[in-house]
Amino acid sequence: MDHSQPPGVDSLLVTVNNPARADLLGTGMDYARCAALHNYLVHHAWISEGRIPAGLDDNNTFFTTHGAAAEALRPRLHPSLAAFLDRAVLPLADGPERAPLFFWANEVSDPDFLFDDQAADLLNEPPSTLVCLYSPNIGQGGCPGGGLFYHQGCHRAAVFMHMDDYNYAFPVEAHPSLWHPLETVLSNWIDIIRLGKVVASPRDTPALFGSEKIGPWEWRPYSEAQVASCLSAWDRLCDSIEARVSSLTLLSASATTNAVKPEPLVAPSVLDTAAVPNPSFARAFLCGARRPRFRSIAPGLLLPPTDASEFAALQPFTRLPRDSQAIPPICLFSTVGGTKTDLIGWSSPFCDNFRAMSADSPIPCRVPIGVYSESVERNCYDNTEEGFRLLLPYSLEGGSWDASVGVRKSDGSFVGMRTATELFQHGYKPFGGDYYRPQRLERLFEHWCKLIDTGIWSVGPHGVEGTIDTFKQAETAKWRDYVIPPTW
């Protein structure tokens, strides 16, 4: 291998057009593909720390490093998993510690910890079934009992930050959407790097906003590529609605798409008046998104007003005193008349700087309902400025005596009892990450577009029809329409 450049893996990344091999699903690992993706991550972390590329040794693998202790485990390993461990390069100790493989994974587990028979027994899995292939990064969300588990029965993998997460994905046969071929997980990690959400640099280089790094790895609040991706999802949603509006009115579809310079969703001067932070994901989205020629983007939810005073009136958090790295939630889409809801204590999904713990708090506890951008502390772990929260004027119910109804998250679990802020949220994340990290705004737009394209939501002359009560369908037998499929 030429170590002067990262190994090329573009043709190996799992995508919609380049999926995991169907002939191996459930029967074994695509070990050559997985080893190449693993080695890409090892190489990327290694050179990002400023280490000499030639210091990587192709022959330094699980079996050559651990010798007899590793060979003793070979009979318990599926041949394809053993072949992966024969090819996956382990970085040599170069200084005080090795570079972690990725933000969510430390390294290939040592022989003493490779088989998690204690977890297998706890979860009623056959002996030798659960392989803790990658140990967790302790701290920043990773805990003992976590790691990337490879299931030798179904030959799929899932990341657990903590043993408390087990119940979300076990038994495997009850949660097939949460287990993926190993190459899918590794491809996701590489995609996140290329997206700029996770960045690697020498470990003594401070993180952009002062957050704690994991070796060379730094989690960023958002990236410019994520803004661009969200804007593309917004365009697709608007195109879908406008195509239906134009069939009902005299609105020409070409008039909405061929403008030389479309009007922004919200003008920069309006955002300045409302004290929307610059830079921030919310500001980049609102300035970069085109303003469509309809009013309603979803049932009961309107485009943001263009008038500066009206838009500022919808922003209860932007002028509050806050920590230097705190970014307030921005109300993106609200309702007719600015209906409000109460958020006190832990019913609020926002971070500490913007959470009223009592009715007499200086932080507003009665706020407009609608879709908000995520509030974050940029120097904290696993923050997601590109996330969103939908605040409803009523509570939704999760589990009940009837398992066929009830609001669910992407992981299939029920939302909390009587919650008004958890619709369309993620829950457990099989690729890694905190349970409470919110869903990305991009995914919400994609899902709303699907609801329109499939006819579940109807479109009238002014946009998407229905009232805010339409979202109550998530409690009924139609709950699947209000679940965003799991991803990262």
Side-chain angles (χ1 to χ4, degrees):
M1 179 188 297
D2 177 10
H3 290 298
S4 62
Q5 296 293 328
V9 293
D10 287 3
S11 64
L12 301 176
L13 293 171
V14 173
T15 65
V16 172
N17 298 319
N18 189 32
R21 280 178 54 182
D23 60 315
L24 289 178
L25 296 181
T27 63
M29 181 194 292
D30 189 348
Y31 59 85
R33 186 178 190 177
C34 290
L37 296 172
H38 165 98
N39 291 342
Y40 176 94
L41 288 166
V42 170
H43 188 282
H44 186 82
W46 182 270
I47 63 174
S48 294
E49 290 208 299
R51 305 186 192 216
I52 299 173
L56 280 172
D57 182 358
D58 290 358
N59 297 316
N60 195 55
T61 67
F62 177 76
F63 290 108
T64 60
T65 297
H66 299 293
E71 290 294 342
L73 298 179
R74 195 183 285 270
R76 299 175 63 187
L77 295 167
H78 187 274
S80 63
L81 178 53
F84 167 79
L85 292 172
D86 267 322
R87 290 164 172 76
V89 173
L90 304 188
L92 295 167
D94 180 30
E97 56 184 321
R98 291 190 180 111
L101 179 73
F102 184 64
F103 196 82
W104 306 128
N106 184 18
E107 60 184 356
V108 173
S109 295
D110 290 346
D112 288 345
F113 303 101
L114 191 67
F115 285 95
D116 198 331
D117 290 331
Q118 183 177 0
D121 182 63
L122 176 68
L123 298 165
N124 296 316
E125 296 285 343
S128 300
T129 297
L130 292 184
V131 175
C132 184
L133 188 58
Y134 297 125
S135 60
N137 287 312
I138 303 301
Q140 293 277 40
C143 298
L148 182 143
F149 279 23
Y150 184 84
H151 194 286
Q152 292 204 104
C154 67
H155 296 283
R156 291 182 174 242
V159 177
F160 298 90
M161 304 304 293
H162 190 278
M163 63 188 303
D164 289 348
D165 292 340
Y166 292 167
N167 288 336
Y168 295 114
F170 285 100
V172 177
E173 56 272 15
H175 304 280
S177 66
L178 301 179
W179 291 83
H180 300 274
L182 180 62
E183 59 266 35
T184 301
V185 179
L186 297 175
S187 294
N188 172 264
W189 293 353
I190 294 171
D191 286 342
I192 292 174
I193 294 169
R194 293 183 171 186
L195 196 61
K197 183 66 177 177
V198 171
V199 176
S201 62
R203 68 180 66 202
D204 57 356
T205 299
L208 182 62
F209 295 105
S211 62
E212 180 183 350
K213 294 172 66 174
I214 299 178
W217 301 106
E218 172 192 350
W219 182 270
R220 293 279 176 89
Y222 72 96
S223 71
E224 292 304 317
Q226 287 186 290
V227 174
S229 185
C230 187
L231 292 175
S232 295
W234 171 258
D235 283 341
R236 290 191 294 272
L237 173 60
C238 291
D239 288 346
S240 182
I241 298 171
E242 286 173 339
R244 287 158 177 80
V245 170
S246 66
S247 69
L248 299 170
T249 68
L250 297 178
L251 173 64
S252 168
S254 62
T256 67
T257 57
N258 294 339
V260 174
K261 188 175 182 181
E263 178 187 358
L265 189 56
V266 181
S269 59
V270 173
L271 300 177
D272 290 339
T273 300
V276 174
N278 186 15
S280 64
F281 181 88
R283 187 182 186 97
F285 165 72
L286 291 168
C287 286
R290 69 177 179 87
R291 191 169 187 89
R293 296 179 65 183
F294 56 79
R295 294 182 59 208
S296 180
I297 192 65
L301 294 174
L302 305 178
L303 299 180
T306 56
D307 179 79
S309 60
E310 291 180 18
F311 183 81
L314 291 173
Q315 311 305 328
F317 303 106
T318 55
R319 297 190 183 278
L320 294 175
R322 61 181 186 264
D323 295 340
S324 61
Q325 299 294 358
I327 300 296
I330 305 300
C331 184
L332 306 174
F333 310 109
S334 61
T335 59
V336 176
T339 306
K340 294 187 176 184
T341 189
D342 292 320
L343 290 181
I344 298 179
W346 299 113
S347 68
S348 172
F350 303 134
C351 65
D352 290 348
N353 280 259
F354 312 105
R355 180 185 294 128
M357 297 307 294
S358 64
D360 57 358
S361 170
I363 299 171
C365 59
R366 188 162 180 78
V367 302
I369 65 170
V371 176
Y372 285 74
S373 64
E374 176 70 345
S375 62
V376 305
E377 295 174 11
R378 285 175 166 173
N379 56 346
C380 291
Y381 152 80
D382 207 1
N383 57 71
T384 307
E385 267 188 60
E386 73 275 16
F388 74 89
R389 305 286 181 174
L390 172 58
L391 274 55
L392 295 169
Y394 46 79
S395 296
L396 295 173
E397 294 291 347
S400 67
W401 62 271
D402 185 354
S404 67
V405 298
V407 188
R408 289 168 173 81
K409 298 182 180 180
S410 297
D411 63 6
S413 66
F414 290 108
V415 301
M417 299 302 292
R418 301 194 61 77
T419 176
T421 63
E422 294 187 40
L423 188 61
F424 294 120
Q425 290 303 327
H426 215 309
Y428 164 74
K429 299 170 180 62
F431 296 113
D434 184 74
Y435 179 89
Y436 296 100
R437 189 179 78 227
Q439 191 81 255
R440 290 170 284 141
L441 185 62
E442 169 189 351
R443 296 283 288 156
L444 183 68
F445 293 156
E446 291 172 345
H447 192 70
W448 284 357
C449 189
K450 177 182 176 182
L451 293 177
I452 292 163
D453 289 344
T454 56
I456 294 169
W457 285 354
S458 60
V459 174
H462 303 295
V464 181
E465 296 183 313
T467 69
I468 200 70
D469 284 347
T470 300
F471 294 103
K472 290 182 179 179
Q473 292 179 350
E475 294 181 305
T476 71
K478 297 181 179 180
W479 62 266
R480 290 178 181 83
D481 297 337
Y482 296 86
V483 174
I484 298 178
T487 178
W488 68 277

